Amino acid sequence: MRVIPPLAGLLACLPAGAQQGLPAPTGEAIVDPGARFEILYTRPETETDLGGLTEGPAVAPDGSIYFSDILRGENLGRIHRFDPATGRIETFAADSRKSNGLIFGPDGLLYAAEGADYGGRRVSRWNVETRQRDVVVDRFEGKRFNAPNDICVDENGNLYFTDPRYTGHEPRELERRAVYRVTPEGGVVEVTREVTKPNGLALSPDGRTLYVADTNNGSDGMPGVEPGNRGPMRIYAFPLDEDGLVDGPRRLLHDFGPQFGCDGMTVDEKGNLYLTAREPSRPGVLVLDPNGREIAFLPTSAGVEAEETPLTPNEIQGKEKPPATPTGLPSNVEFGLGEDINVLYVTVDQSLYRIRLKARGYHRQHMR
């Protein structure tokens, strides 16, 4: 594995909030008001122009954190590994086939949702000891998936994954965007298509509710949505039966309204939901209780509306001020294990952050 410096100089030694002037988090039942994010990794400055973002943190049985580093276009995506014991970052896979969401299964294997844009468009699994990869599933009813995005697993090893499409030149073969389930034997079923553009997803601790983010940004020719316009930005809760399939009407848990919605998500041991909210004016981790009530918010940026940029002479003369560039946009989230069960890891922009909470995460795949 290639070892990557966490950050240049002393940056990795200081809390990210102190460096960036982040607002204090809210929700004292979840987080101490003085807690701040720490930056663990930022993509080297020489590679920032490759575009893309970090994604899909997943905790391994040994407590290390694997996460995707998605590069735009023909640039190969990667999977990195962070070791909390040493603070070292290593490149686990130099070609991830554009992996996005990651999860470890009860079998100890690393499962990846591979997207489009020169990616695999499939669900794959990695043996982290041998670094061998094989394909779990790449088709439904004989047609290639759009772009598998995020993934979670139940206590029986069944995988749930979303299949939207945000980018990619490849022709689409499936007309719909849906959520699917794959059994350990490789059987695939459609769980629901009642989400216009499914993105992040998570299971409740009891396994009887599937949470899905509808993150419809209007890209890739969405029906009924003009290019550049947004569709629904919502969080739905689907009831599941004993077989892990939807057995009732969905419930609207949260509606972001005109704001940009959620990407990835996870749950804590009490069933609270941690959503990575990508609204530029208020980016951060939004924490909801199982009834959809906001109980905490962990800012990952001050937000573009709060940034004060001095005016240039041209702007003072009446020319339009350029819009601020959004920063600190989170993409996915995961709790640690063991002594770090209350540490929340968040992929943000092209970085990996962490923050220590009062809440404890829930990981059914490591509880056998």
Side-chain angles (χ1 to χ4, degrees):
M1 294 184 180
R2 182 170 66 95
V3 178
I4 305 171
L7 277 178
L10 299 177
L11 185 60
C13 302
L14 300 174
Q19 301 147 16
Q20 301 174 0
L22 292 182
T26 63
E28 291 194 31
I30 298 295
V31 60
D32 189 294
R36 292 296 186 275
F37 279 104
E38 174 189 5
I39 301 177
L40 305 172
Y41 165 83
T42 291
R43 189 191 296 169
E45 193 170 320
T46 54
E47 297 182 344
T48 55
D49 61 350
L50 299 178
L53 71 166
T54 50
E55 255 282 9
V59 64
D62 67 358
S64 60
I65 302 295
Y66 290 70
F67 63 99
S68 296
D69 189 2
I70 305 172
L71 307 177
R72 190 174 296 140
E74 296 185 61
N75 298 299
L76 299 178
R78 301 172 291 208
I79 298 175
H80 300 311
R81 175 183 179 270
F82 170 71
D83 183 351
T86 64
R88 295 206 318 173
I89 297 279
E90 300 171 319
T91 298
F92 166 74
D95 179 4
S96 70
R97 282 76 165 183
K98 296 295 178 75
S99 71
N100 192 322
L102 303 172
I103 193 75
F104 276 86
D107 53 11
L109 300 177
L110 176 63
Y111 290 84
E114 299 179 3
D117 193 29
Y118 298 95
R121 297 169 63 194
R122 61 184 59 139
V123 173
S124 61
R125 63 185 157 219
W126 293 83
N127 182 315
V128 297
E129 299 297 328
T130 65
R131 279 179 270 174
Q132 296 298 306
R133 166 191 170 274
D134 66 295
V135 176
V136 177
V137 62
D138 62 1
R139 285 171 170 80
F140 180 67
E141 297 180 343
K143 298 180 180 180
R144 292 289 302 275
F145 291 115
N146 297 318
N149 185 283
D150 206 358
I151 190 168
C152 66
V153 63
D154 69 13
E155 61 183 8
N156 297 315
N158 297 305
L159 302 169
Y160 292 80
F161 69 95
T162 54
D163 185 39
R165 175 69 166 261
Y166 290 97
T167 185
H169 66 283
E170 299 91 342
R172 283 181 52 202
E173 299 179 22
L174 289 167
E175 294 181 4
R176 55 189 176 272
R177 295 166 174 82
V179 181
Y180 299 92
R181 191 193 71 172
V182 186
T183 66
E185 296 74 32
V188 188
V189 296
E190 183 183 275
V191 175
T192 182
R193 65 179 75 170
E194 286 191 271
V195 183
T196 67
K197 203 164 191 178
N199 194 315
L201 79 171
L203 285 165
S204 60
D206 64 5
R208 298 307 293 268
T209 303
L210 177 67
Y211 299 104
V212 183
D214 197 347
T215 314
N216 189 338
N217 64 347
S219 68
D220 192 41
M222 287 297 301
V225 179
E226 295 297 324
N229 293 333
R230 294 176 185 168
M233 295 285 177
R234 298 169 181 163
I235 306 297
Y236 294 115
F238 292 89
L240 302 180
D241 60 22
E242 293 181 355
D243 295 324
L245 300 177
V246 174
D247 70 345
R250 70 185 186 188
R251 175 167 57 99
L252 176 61
L253 191 74
H254 184 78
D255 192 337
F256 289 91
Q259 295 190 334
F260 203 93
C262 165
D263 197 337
M265 62 178 77
T266 194
V267 296
D268 66 19
E269 64 181 6
K270 294 183 177 180
N272 298 314
L273 198 60
Y274 294 70
L275 309 173
T276 50
R278 291 178 62 82
E279 167 58 33
S281 64
R282 194 193 184 215
V285 179
L286 172 64
V287 187
L288 305 179
D289 69 14
N291 295 315
R293 181 175 63 93
E294 180 176 335
I295 57 174
F297 189 79
L298 317 174
T300 49
S301 169
V304 295
E305 293 181 356
E307 294 180 0
E308 294 293 337
T309 304
L311 297 178
T312 66
N314 285 338
E315 291 164 350
I316 293 174
Q317 293 173 11
K319 294 190 176 182
E320 183 179 354
K321 183 179 179 180
T325 301
T327 58
L329 301 183
S331 60
N332 219 321
V333 63
E334 172 76 304
F335 278 97
L337 272 181
E339 294 182 355
D340 286 343
I341 192 67
N342 65 335
V343 173
L344 194 68
Y345 292 87
V346 188
T347 45
V348 180
D349 297 333
Q350 298 176 351
S351 301
L352 176 68
Y353 289 12
R354 73 178 170 190
I355 186 171
R356 191 168 291 275
L357 305 180
K358 298 178 181 178
R360 293 165 52 90
Y362 181 80
H363 300 293
R364 63 176 43 80
Q365 65 269 34
H366 301 305
M367 294 186 175
R368 281 190 161 186

